[in-house]
Amino acid sequence: MHPPEILVLTSMIQPAERAALDAIFTTHGPLGSAALDALLAARGDRILGIATSGRELLDSALLAKLPALRIVACFSAGIDRIDTAALAARGIALTNTSAVLAEEVADLAMALAVMARRRLVAADAHVRSGAWASGQGFAFGRSLQGARMGLLGFGHIGAAIARRAAAAGLALRYCTRTQRPGLDLPFHATPLALAQDSDILVVATTGGAANRNLVDEATLRALGPHGTLVNIARGEVVEEAALLAALADGGLGSAGLDVFLNEPKVDPRFAALPNVVLAPHIASATVETRSAMGAHVVQSLRAALLAA
């Protein structure tokens, strides 16, 4: 009996976990567009599973070429580039790694908040440049103690951030599409209302067209000249032009960003701003968590395609 065939659309799965996939399944990919088209024409009806990530497009046109598909295992929390409606219509299972990576992403969210408010990038430059040794003073940052943190989104990642923030002495509030029963935190129905009641706004919601510019100019400026934005979600969720303007003119105090609108081609104006911390979409990027994410993909495919 031949092993089940799967299509691997992502190169993000680490070598040990990719080797595990290769040992269990007949794997195809990642492939360029021409090679992928050729594979689907020849063997599309034999592909039972897909390993992908939040960066690859998996649309209805591609899914239509896979009539035997039973499961999509996503190596990320974000599934906004996957046509979930098409999967649901065909009864195809979808898994992601949101629970696996939540703690790691929450760590970076808190780090970005601390770095932005305490001006740690500028502080590092102050020391390296010799300015401290020459007697130049360094401007004070803003405290986290007692600050109000608004969480835009309260899934696995939002909940993990909330645990850390509460332990650090921040006062929490949140905004989701519907109020969470049993969650004893102040609730706001809109991002604007949340920002008006927050010193730090952490974007931890899903991306995609439905949430494009969810954090708009009014929401950014509601945080005010001492406020901080942290984005570990998706770049399109924040109105980037408005963010750049608010950071430049003082309408927003600071920001810590792990995601951008056109990443990896980040708008060069960010690099010139002293009040922003920039990271290259690394919230889940540790050896341990990326390994655990890959193991989750392997286990998801194994359970769906090799279960007795």
Side-chain angles (χ1 to χ4, degrees):
M1 183 176 180
H2 296 294
E5 297 189 33
I6 67 168
L7 177 61
V8 181
L9 295 178
T10 179
S11 60
M12 294 181 67
I13 298 173
Q14 299 302 292
E17 290 70 44
R18 176 57 198 257
L21 285 177
D22 293 340
I24 300 167
F25 303 104
T26 298
T27 59
H28 304 282
L31 300 168
S33 58
L36 178 58
D37 287 342
L39 172 72
L40 295 177
R43 306 190 69 83
D45 59 347
R46 302 184 187 186
I47 301 295
L48 301 183
I50 291 178
T52 188
S53 80
R55 301 182 184 186
E56 285 74 38
L57 180 64
L58 184 51
D59 59 12
S60 58
L62 178 55
L63 291 168
K65 299 176 183 178
L66 299 163
L69 188 66
R70 289 161 51 184
I71 180 172
V72 174
C74 186
F75 182 86
S76 72
I79 56 173
D80 45 281
R81 291 181 63 79
I82 299 172
D83 190 333
T84 55
L87 294 182
R90 289 173 52 186
I92 299 170
L94 172 63
T95 66
N96 71 356
T97 56
S98 60
V100 177
L101 56 73
E103 303 299 327
E104 204 71 77
V105 175
D107 283 347
L108 189 73
M110 291 299 295
L112 289 172
V114 172
M115 291 181 71
R117 290 186 72 76
R118 296 297 304 272
R119 306 184 62 242
L120 290 183
V121 172
D124 180 271
H126 187 76
V127 176
R128 290 177 188 271
S129 69
W132 187 30
S134 69
Q136 295 181 41
F138 184 74
F140 295 163
R142 290 277 164 183
S143 179
L144 267 75
Q145 297 304 306
R148 301 166 299 166
M149 175 178 280
L151 292 167
L152 182 56
F154 209 94
H156 290 295
I157 294 170
I161 296 169
R163 291 192 295 272
R164 287 158 173 75
L170 284 88
L172 293 164
R173 53 264 294 123
Y174 76 104
C175 173
T176 53
R177 285 190 178 90
T178 57
Q179 190 169 0
R180 298 295 178 89
L183 184 55
D184 189 22
L185 295 174
F187 170 76
H188 294 286
T190 67
L192 177 59
L194 181 66
Q196 290 169 336
D197 191 35
S198 299
D199 303 300
I200 305 166
L201 178 64
V202 180
V203 184
T205 189
T206 56
N211 280 344
R212 181 172 291 274
N213 294 339
L214 184 65
V215 179
D216 59 11
E217 180 179 14
T219 301
L220 292 165
R221 291 189 179 274
L223 286 166
H226 305 311
T228 300
L229 175 82
V230 173
N231 189 3
I232 44 79
R234 288 289 186 267
E236 69 267 13
V237 179
V238 176
E239 187 179 350
E240 193 164 279
L243 173 61
L244 282 160
L247 287 168
D249 66 24
L252 175 65
S254 59
L257 307 174
D258 186 49
V259 290
F260 303 87
L261 184 59
N262 296 310
E263 60 183 60
K265 296 180 179 180
V266 176
D267 192 307
R269 289 176 291 176
F270 279 117
L273 292 170
N275 53 343
V276 62
V277 180
L278 310 175
H281 202 153
I282 56 168
S284 67
T286 64
V287 171
E288 297 84 357
T289 292
R290 287 292 172 87
S291 177
M293 291 164 64
H296 187 274
V297 168
V298 173
Q299 181 53 35
S300 296
L301 291 164
R302 185 201 295 269
L305 302 180
L306 296 177

